[in-house]
Every structure is written in C-alpha cells, then in structure tokens.
Amino acid sequence: MAEQTLRTLMRTTDVVVTGLFSPAAVAAIGLADLFARLPLRIGLGLGSGAIALSSQDTGASETHDTADADADDSAGSEATANRDEAITQAIVVGILAGIPFVVFGLFAGERAIAALGAPSGVAEMGGTYLAVIFATAPARHVALVAARSLQGTGDTRTPMYVNVVSNLLNIVGTVALGLGLGPAPRLEIVGVGVATAFGNLFTAVALLAAIYGPWAAASFARPTDATIAKQLLEVSAPKIAEGLAATIAEFPFNAILLAFGTEVNAAYQIGRRMHQQVTSPLSRGYNVASSVVVGQALGEGDPDRARFEGWASAALGLVTVGSIGLLLFVGAEWFVRLFTDDPATVEYATDFARVYGLVSPFLVLYVVLSGALQGGSDTRTPFVARTTGIFGFMVGFSWLFGVRLGFGVTGVYAGIFLYFVWALLVVAAGFQWGGWATKAAAMMEERGSVEEAS
C-alpha cells in the first residue's frame, strides 16, 4: 500500500504541476492519459496472469515443502519451476507488446487526441506528452508484470522498495523539470513526461535485477511449456480486454464531458484524481493482497480458507476506504482547491469528488473481490462486471440523461455512481456462487503444479 500511495501521489503531482500552467494543460494530460492507459491495461492484464499462477504455485510448493519427509517432492519442485516460467513468459510478452505503443506515440499521438474533439493547443500539448511516455511502454509492462510476479510469491517488500524510490524520483523530476527549479530547465508538460518515462525505466531495470539476483524467491526460466503459456494468456486476456474496454469507454465519456466545456473535463480529471489519491492506495493494496492470499490458499488445497480470505479482505476494505470516502465527501472543496483556483473548475471538480466519495464503499468492494477472483484464475467475471457497467451506465446512462434528456452534468454524476454499484453486484455474485476454486484446481493439475486427484 505504501508504493500505491506514492504512485498515486506521483500522478497527483503531475496534475498539480500542470494545473499551474493552465486548465488546458490539465485537460491535455488527462486526455493523453486515456491513451497512456492502453499499455497500463496490458501490463496489468499480464500481471494478473502472473500473480494468479505465481501465488497458486507458491502455495503448492510450500505445501509440499512442509509435507512429510517421506512424501514425493516432485510436485513441489514442478510448482516452483512452473512459477518461474510463468513469470518469464509474462515479462517477455510484455516487452513485445510495448513496441507498437512506441511507434504510435511518435507518429500518431497528437492526431489521436485531436480526434477526441480537443482544441489544437490541447492536442499539441497532449501529443507531445504522449510521445515521451510511450517511448518507455515496454519498460512499463515489465515493471507491472515483475512487481505482481514477486507479490504472488509473498514478496511485497521488494516491489515496494523499488517503487518508492522510483516514485520519489518521479515526483522530484516532475517538479524540477516542469517548473524549472534550480538548475533544471523549465520544460512544463514535456518535463512531466520525461520524469514519468525515467521512472518507468528505473522500475523495470531494478525489478529485473531483483528477480535475476539472489534476493527474490522467484527467478527466470527458459520458456518451453506451452500449457503455462496457454494458461497465462487465458487468465490475462479477459483482464486485458477489461482494461482496454474501460479505456475505450473513456473516449466517448470524455467527449460527453467536453460537450459541457473544457472546465468540466478538467474538473472530472481533478475530482477523480483527488479520489484516487486518498482511496486508491488502500484499494489497490487490498486487491493485490486478496489475489495473493486467495491464490496461495488454493495452491495449498484449501478453497474454504480462500473464500474466507476474500470476504475478510473485502470487509477490511469497506471499513477503511468507505470511511475515507466519507471524509472526501465532506472536505471535497478544500481538497480540490489544492489543484486549481479556477472558479468554474472548482465548482464541478468538487461535485465530482463528492460523487466519488459516496461511491467509495461500492468501489472498494468491487476492486477487492475482483482481486480475490483473480487469485482463483477467474478474470472473466470482473470483465463482465466492468464492461457492462462502464458502457451501460458511465457512458450510456450519462449520455442519455446528461445530453439527450437535458439533465446536464447531473446525469453524468448519476452514471458514475450506478456504474460502480452494478459492478459490485456482479463480482459479489461471482465470488459467492462462481466455480473459480474448481477452475483453479483444474489448471494447477493441468500444468503439473499439484498431483491429480485420484
């Protein structure tokens, strides 16, 4: 959670610094981030496959390691080998998948942002920023996959140490290069992008070194097993599709916001960023934790404990993040004024922050239970929940009531709220009554991480 706090603070620093330039600069970086989420979604998707297999095989290997000395240890060794190969395959795929984004950023970034309806000045700034950060898309993939691979083994400290240092360097670089402090040149939005790109490279190199060296339980292995590759992609694909669908949905959603004015779009970016700053570190931390504990419990052959761990993680998230959301609702305007002093932007950003504050209990339960399902190799249920919710409510409801029926931005507020309520209902039903435990056991048997049931 510490690393998530600093990661979110880093992104918040980007918005604060660009807010000192102009509302157009905030809109530019917000629109560019729509495209920047594409490599993020792929990295998170591959990371979901890596953490599922890694946690399950870690649990299986530890079970065999602590078994009777007379027992056959071949399954435990096989589980460890499978884990290392899954990690290696996910990293290699991540590197290859990042290359097209490098090309896109260099040659199509500005035109892509302009296609959203952004003014020429906003499109130019956003395109420049996008080209800089897309240059390190392969490194971003590696960083995400490697971190989740290590977390799946139970090692949350190594990714935390690396990401804390990386994010601190990123924050310092954003402030120095964006504002031109000290001997650093004032590069404004380019400086913000350069700082982010450097952070991506630093994190990837450091985590690769950790896996290669003697510090981590995981290591690299030559990719040879097609079954592992198939399962990795089977778990990762719905997660990638979920993220890409959410990113695609942001385009029409931001077009809806831009129809109400640049200030409304900037206000949404600020309000959402404010919410992410105070709630996402915990939510994402619980998401990863629930994946690990559920996956390891399944690897140890204890589905009942896996189910209990998932609900316990969700309850902890509800108490903590739900309380923070309430505080955000009460103090929304004060927090928003840390980002901007533009009167129109402040008004709308305060309302967006309050909506996200109210929806926090639903959001954290959805995020944690999605992580628990992921630990059980079920990424399809969260995909259905998020895709239907974001298109049906965040985009569809917002357009119908906000634009078509004339309710304005209020219709958008309602669409955001209903999206998270719906997503929670779907994943909660899937976790309570779905067959994820049986599926995970079958996949472990198929790849040889556990002995086949007699």
Side-chain angles (χ1 to χ4, degrees), residues 143-166:
L144 290 165
V145 172
R148 277 151 182 76
S149 298
L150 290 174
Q151 289 165 343
T153 69
D155 179 7
T156 57
R157 292 188 177 185
T158 300
M160 180 190 70
Y161 294 147
V162 170
N163 279 295
V164 164
V165 174
S166 174

Side-chain angles (χ1 to χ4, degrees), residues 23-184:
V26 175
I29 200 172
L31 293 172
D33 275 345
L34 294 177
F35 294 95
R37 290 174 201 165
L38 294 171
L40 171 65
R41 302 307 188 189
I42 292 176
L44 288 174
L46 292 170
S48 71
I51 199 171
L53 272 62
S54 175
S55 61
Q56 292 167 13
D57 288 345
T58 295
S61 64
E62 290 177 352
T63 298
H64 286 280
D65 288 343
T66 57
D68 192 310
D70 295 331
D72 182 7
D73 189 49
S74 60
S77 299
E78 186 68 21
T80 300
N82 288 342
R83 178 194 65 196
D84 294 343
E85 181 166 345
I87 291 171
T88 305
Q89 290 192 21
I91 289 174
V92 171
V93 172
I95 293 172
L96 297 176
I99 295 175
F101 292 106
V102 178
V103 178
F104 180 89
L106 290 174
F107 299 105
E110 182 176 343
R111 291 196 298 272
I113 294 175
L116 297 178
S120 59
V122 172
E124 182 179 358
M125 286 189 291
T128 301
Y129 172 81
L130 193 61
V132 173
I133 61 173
F134 263 16
T136 57
R140 181 69 172 132
H141 286 170
V142 169
L144 290 165
V145 172
R148 277 151 182 76
S149 298
L150 290 174
Q151 289 165 343
T153 69
D155 179 7
T156 57
R157 292 188 177 185
T158 300
M160 180 190 70
Y161 294 147
V162 170
N163 279 295
V164 164
V165 174
S166 174
N167 290 327
L168 286 174
L169 291 173
N170 197 331
I171 290 170
V172 172
T174 293
V175 175
L177 295 174
L179 302 177
L181 300 182

Side-chain angles (χ1 to χ4, degrees), residues 308-328:
F308 171 80
E309 296 281 10
W311 284 118
S313 300
L316 181 59
L318 177 62
V319 172
T320 53
V321 176
S323 299
I324 294 172
L326 178 61
L327 293 176
L328 175 61

Side-chain angles (χ1 to χ4, degrees), residues 356-372:
Y356 274 107
L358 286 175
V359 84
S360 292
F362 303 97
L363 189 154
V364 68
L365 289 174
Y366 158 72
V367 169
V368 177
L369 291 177
S370 292

Side-chain angles (χ1 to χ4, degrees), residues 179-204:
L179 302 177
L181 300 182
R186 182 183 174 92
L187 301 179
E188 297 193 351
I189 200 168
V190 174
V192 175
V194 169
T196 300
F198 176 80
N200 290 340
L201 286 172
F202 176 88
T203 306

